Amino acid sequence: MQQFTVALAGNPNVGKTTIFNAVTGSRQHVGNWPGVTVEKKTGRISHRGIEIDVVDLPGTYSLTAYSLDEIVARDFILDEKPDVVIQVVDATNLERNLYLTTQLMEIGAPLVVALNVADLAEARGDAIDAERLQSLLAIPVVRTVGNRGEGIEDMLDAAIREAESPPRHEHTVGYGDDAEAAIARLVTALSADADLAGHYPLRWLAVRLLEGDEHADCRLEGSPAREAALEILAGIDREACEAALADKRYEVIAAILAQVCRLAPEKISASDRIDRVVTNRYLGIPIFLALMWGAFELTFAVGGFFGEAIEAGFGVLGEAAATIEPGWLASLIGDGILGGVGAVLAFVPHIFILFLILSIMEASGYLARAAFIMDRLMYAFGLPGKAFIPMLMGFGCNVPAIMATRTIEDHKERLITIMVNPFISCGARLPIYVLFTGIFFGREAGTVIFALYVLGIAVAIGSAKLFRSTILPGESAAFIMELPPYRLPTLRGSMIQMWDRGSTYLKKAGGIILIGAVIIWALASNPPGVEYGSQESLVGIIGNMLSPAVEPLGLNGKIAVALIFGILAKEIVVSSLGVLYGAGEDAGSLTDALAADPGLGPASALALMVFALLYLPCIATLAVIRAETGSWRWTGFAVGYGVVIAWLLAFFAYQAGRLIWGI
Amino acid sequence: MLPRGGGVTLDRIIPEQACRIVGIRARGRSRRRMFAMGLVPGARVEMLRTAPLGDPVEYRVRGYCLAIRKADAGLIDVMPEEQ
């Protein structure tokens, strides 16, 4: 059976994902591109007896080296050499879309253009002569409407014809005499290196070199043709050249469009009318906050409902596990695996719903407006506007919040947004505050809790500034962002994206969470025979060893142990204090027991809460930091930095508190 | 060297005013990004509105909408069109 690889390329927001979904249906596989955290979607289908592997390339505006997405897309085309590249083009915005087409032609990939959302262009009154476009570009052009599945068969037929036919002679933009002379000289020089000539289209490489592309420079390293090429380049102002070549591409595109399109006279579009309200000077921020609040409410109302059901389910399973023989196995399954994993799984519904909301916001075009509205604020902290949404989500749960950073293109900005997110006080930390403020702060409880939230935000923002100026330096990337026209998201597309992202999280984080839960169980139930989590267990012994470290914070070994359990999930701090203070799960008696502890007072309670707010992220968050950064080093850094900051601030809180309250 | 176009930069254009790009002084990745988004010398740009907090600014270029921070728009020299 014949087999082809087809890559889907295109600008962001042109309906590429919709086309991908229409082609592959549910036969999709989501993973990451090797070595980077850019999402890679693939699907295998059979079309007219031919097996086709469809690869969804990241959406890009060009194939230079602007972002990780562009590098990933470009390297795939260059190195994996797909049989055909299908570029999905937005028919309502041909001019900018065809810029990528000129680059794809230059890179020498067999190309098919899918003229997508053709219905919208027609509804607007634009007349596009697809046949004429096809003959001018000398590549097949197919009309598609992704969300109705129109033209998909034709598109695949065209792709197969293109894959089977002999390669077309290179048909590219002519750059004018001066540039062409330089390109010709470079091509001659480069062709001295047979290796290079075998791997890259030399005209493409020559153009990239002329434009001063660092990645093209890298490909010359160690090549025998390097000297000669650099000599030619030495006499050329590459920056001026880049502008001239870009201009030439747009000139060619304009000449083509003049023969192909008759655009309807521009009138105020529906998108523009929505934007006049949604990004209005006075209404923009209230609308944004209302939508965020709605998203938040929906996530926690619906997520909480299903989460409680999951918890209840685990409770039933736990009771069943208690009857297992021998006892240690019952404890491993009941206390360790079901207890630990159950605590984390209770958040899975929140994660799925959040992803659903996020994908609807993304597909509708509102996410770009949110970034537009919030950019000024975030820029002050060295972050892009898109970082606002993950920060806000963090108040619910840091796990989906960190996954929501995927919308940030710049690698360093994304990394900073990930690293500071755990300082945003998630919902699971609230039970700790409620317990301790209730005991020690009485009527001031609300104020103290509010102050803790503010402290979390301050530490996050301060850390972002600190990272920006130390370990992750760099200019903020230029903020040049498309505000795509508003579109109605399809339920199917949103559900697929929710499922993809949610299940990827479960697969990646599940293992780490399980291992973490078992390790903590082993520490709590060994040496054999001790009571689970008691002072005599390994956890207790570690807690006692740690007590000198937490003493300056006014805390004791029992609390250190509870904080260790809190690594599983922050709210477990409360239930394990219950066990350690011999109060069982009953909150009332725990309150009495803590109030009766002579070592604790408002100052030490404050220190405890500050510490619990800032110290290391829970296992689920660590798992997602590891998955999203692809690095154990950054995960380790999140732990180390968190503990140090937590200890220092808790120390200050305790010392200041002692001056005020005595203990 | 004084910027061309009488010293007017894109960030100075007021709502509903249009202009043509005469030069781009951005460097490196920002420059490349501008080219990819259709901001090249000769392109017509129309200012639409400012974000609620005063920055960035939304423009229309080549039939679509683009948000640019004022700091970045300040690196684009333009010639305002006669009203």
Side-chain angles (χ1 to χ4, degrees):
Chain A
M1 189 146 105
Q2 265 185 302
Q3 202 199 346
F4 289 127
T5 304
V6 171
L8 280 186
N11 286 181
N13 315 310
V14 297
K16 191 162 68 71
T17 307
T18 315
I19 295 269
F20 180 75
N21 289 340
V23 171
T24 59
S26 53
R27 296 170 299 272
Q28 308 187 355
H29 172 76
V30 188
N32 280 352
W33 294 89
V36 294
T37 51
V38 179
E39 212 170 81
K40 179 185 188 182
K41 288 167 104 179
T42 53
R44 172 168 290 188
I45 57 156
S46 169
H47 181 74
R48 303 205 198 285
I50 295 172
E51 207 155 275
I52 303 179
D53 278 322
V54 189
V55 180
D56 193 18
L57 298 177
T60 62
Y61 293 104
S62 72
L63 286 181
T64 56
Y66 172 73
S67 66
L68 201 55
D69 283 352
E70 294 197 355
I71 295 168
V72 163
R74 176 168 117 173
D75 286 353
F76 183 81
I77 295 172
L78 280 173
D79 299 332
E80 307 295 321
K81 301 203 187 307
D83 296 291
V84 190
V85 175
I86 298 177
Q87 188 199 346
V88 182
V89 163
D90 184 338
T92 65
N93 187 359
L94 278 179
E95 197 174 357
R96 196 202 62 220
N97 277 258
L98 289 180
Y99 189 76
L100 179 65
T101 316
T102 62
Q103 299 197 323
L104 285 166
M105 281 159 53
E106 211 154 70
I107 215 164
L111 192 61
V112 170
V113 165
L115 202 57
N116 197 37
V117 290
D119 56 332
L120 292 183
E122 286 151 17
R124 197 169 74 173
D126 294 354
I128 301 168
D129 186 345
E131 269 176 41
R132 186 111 182 88
L133 183 62
Q134 171 163 319
S135 68
L136 287 172
L137 290 174
I139 43 180
V141 175
V142 186
R143 181 189 179 279
T144 59
V145 181
N147 55 5
R148 292 206 299 256
E150 283 177 37
I152 301 296
E153 296 281 305
D154 296 344
M155 183 186 84
L156 291 173
D157 288 344
I160 290 172
R161 272 200 304 277
E162 202 58 21
E164 285 175 334
S165 58
R168 291 164 193 269
H169 66 94
E170 270 179 37
H171 186 96
T172 54
V173 174
Y175 291 113
D177 294 344
D178 288 354
E180 286 297 336
I183 292 170
R185 283 170 67 204
L186 275 170
V187 168
T188 316
L190 293 172
S191 56
D193 183 345
D195 237 23
L196 213 55
H199 201 93
Y200 302 112
L202 290 183
R203 182 183 166 84
W204 172 81
L205 192 57
V207 171
R208 299 309 313 148
L209 287 170
L210 271 182
E211 291 189 312
D213 183 326
E214 312 81 30
H215 279 245
D217 282 0
C218 286
R219 294 182 199 257
L220 272 189
E221 287 301 322
S223 161
R226 186 166 176 271
E227 289 278 306
L230 290 185
E231 205 171 297
I232 297 167
L233 291 169
I236 294 170
D237 177 355
R238 296 213 251 172
E239 235 170 37
C241 206
E242 191 183 8
L245 297 192
D247 182 46
K248 200 75 196 173
R249 287 189 197 109
Y250 280 110
E251 217 172 83
V252 170
I253 291 165
I256 291 174
L257 288 182
Q259 300 179 58
V260 168
C261 296
R262 216 186 53 249
L263 299 184
E266 225 169 77
K267 50 184 182 211
I268 299 162
S269 65
S271 266
D272 210 29
R273 249 173 305 193
I274 297 174
D275 263 348
R276 281 183 188 187
V277 179
V278 165
T279 62
N280 178 278
R281 177 177 300 194
Y282 305 105
L283 295 175
I285 292 177
I287 291 174
F288 170 74
L289 291 177
L291 282 172
M292 287 297 121
W293 180 82
F296 209 71
E297 277 292 298
L298 198 64
T299 303
F300 288 92
V302 183
F305 175 76
F306 287 106
E308 275 166 31
I310 289 178
E311 261 177 1
F314 270 88
V316 173
L317 285 176
E319 277 167 30
T323 62
I324 296 173
E325 290 293 332
W328 69 267
L329 188 63
S331 172
L332 169 64
I333 295 174
D335 297 328
I337 296 174
L338 292 176
V341 175
V344 177
L345 277 191
F347 285 103
V348 166
H350 300 77
I351 293 171
F352 274 77
I353 289 160
L354 205 69
F355 279 141
L356 181 65
I357 293 172
L358 211 60
S359 74
I360 290 172
M361 288 207 333
E362 207 172 347
S364 66
Y366 187 73
L367 199 64
R369 271 71 184 186
F372 178 67
I373 290 169
M374 279 297 130
D375 184 70
R376 181 68 194 86
L377 190 66
M378 300 313 288
Y379 183 51
F381 312 124
L383 293 173
K386 284 181 179 172
F388 188 80
I389 288 168
M391 298 286 246
L392 199 69
M393 304 243 161
F395 288 114
C397 175
N398 302 119
V399 170
I402 287 172
M403 298 186 80
T405 61
R406 287 185 176 188
T407 53
I408 300 169
E409 292 101 359
D410 185 79
H411 181 64
K412 280 184 180 173
E413 289 178 340
R414 177 159 181 244
L415 205 48
I416 293 173
T417 314
I418 291 174
M419 298 309 289
V420 304
N421 200 276
F423 298 126
I424 302 289
S425 187
C426 69
R429 279 168 252 191
L430 191 57
I432 307 175
Y433 309 153
V434 171
L435 177 68
F436 282 91
T437 54
I439 299 170
F440 294 105
F441 291 95
R443 286 172 54 190
E444 304 300 319
T447 315
V448 173
I449 293 178
F450 181 73
L452 285 164
Y453 275 91
V454 172
L455 177 67
I457 299 167
V459 172
I461 286 171
S463 301
K465 268 261 178 212
L466 180 71
F467 295 163
R468 206 21 150 179
S469 52
T470 54
I471 48 176
L472 289 166
E475 276 292 294
S476 291
F479 182 85
I480 302 173
M481 183 187 66
E482 182 186 1
L483 295 174
Y486 288 99
R487 303 244 157 98
L488 205 60
T490 64
L491 184 64
R492 181 156 169 267
S494 301
M495 294 299 272
I496 287 177
Q497 195 167 32
M498 171 191 84
W499 182 254
D500 282 350
R501 291 185 174 170
S503 55
T504 310
Y505 161 70
L506 278 185
K507 269 183 253 164
K508 281 190 180 159
I512 297 177
I513 292 165
L514 184 65
I515 293 166
V518 170
I519 290 175
I520 295 211
W521 171 82
L523 291 175
S525 52
N526 279 307
V530 295
E531 197 186 327
Y532 183 75
S534 65
Q535 292 289 319
E536 292 73 37
S537 68
L538 286 175
V539 153
I541 293 166
I542 293 172
N544 285 332
M545 277 162 49
L546 287 178
S547 52
V550 296
E551 233 159 65
L553 314 179
L555 306 177
N556 58 42
K558 283 181 189 172
I559 288 172
V561 171
L563 287 169
I564 294 175
F565 279 112
I567 302 170
L568 275 181
K570 296 282 169 86
E571 70 267 40
I572 294 181
V573 170
V574 173
S575 59
S576 38
L577 278 174
V579 175
L580 293 163
Y581 274 86
E585 300 275 316
D586 181 1
S589 56
L590 175 58
T591 305
D592 295 341
L594 286 169
D597 186 334
L600 294 176
S604 49
L606 189 64
L608 168 76
M609 290 187 287
V610 168
F611 195 82
L613 163 68
L614 302 171
Y615 83 128
L616 58 166
C618 68
I619 288 182
T621 307
L622 286 174
V624 78
I625 291 176
R626 160 77 184 102
E628 294 300 307
T629 60
S631 150
W632 282 113
R633 276 180 52 198
W634 281 112
T635 316
F637 179 75
V639 172
Y641 181 79
V643 170
V644 170
I645 290 285
W647 195 91
L648 288 175
L649 289 176
F651 180 74
F652 282 123
Y654 179 58
Q655 299 304 336
R658 275 217 307 192
L659 292 177
I660 302 169
W661 300 296
I663 53 163
Chain B
M1 191 183 78
L2 273 174
R4 284 168 289 177
V8 182
T9 49
L10 186 57
D11 58 320
R12 297 303 181 86
I13 301 299
I14 56 169
E16 287 172 37
Q17 196 183 7
C19 58
R20 268 184 203 282
I21 297 178
V22 293
I24 289 184
R25 283 175 287 121
R27 294 278 170 271
R29 285 183 348 134
S30 307
R31 184 182 176 84
R32 205 159 286 154
R33 175 71 160 186
M34 287 178 186
F35 291 157
M37 302 307 276
L39 300 168
V40 297
R44 184 174 182 276
V45 183
E46 189 189 337
M47 197 280 205
L48 295 179
R49 61 180 70 82
T50 306
L53 296 173
D55 198 14
V57 181
E58 183 179 354
Y59 299 94
R60 193 197 315 278
V61 58
R62 298 183 193 277
Y64 78 101
C65 298
L66 195 59
I68 310 177
R69 274 194 197 133
K70 283 185 173 170
D72 299 312
L75 298 173
I76 300 176
D77 297 323
V78 296
M79 180 75 83
E81 267 180 14
E82 297 301 321
Q83 289 289 328

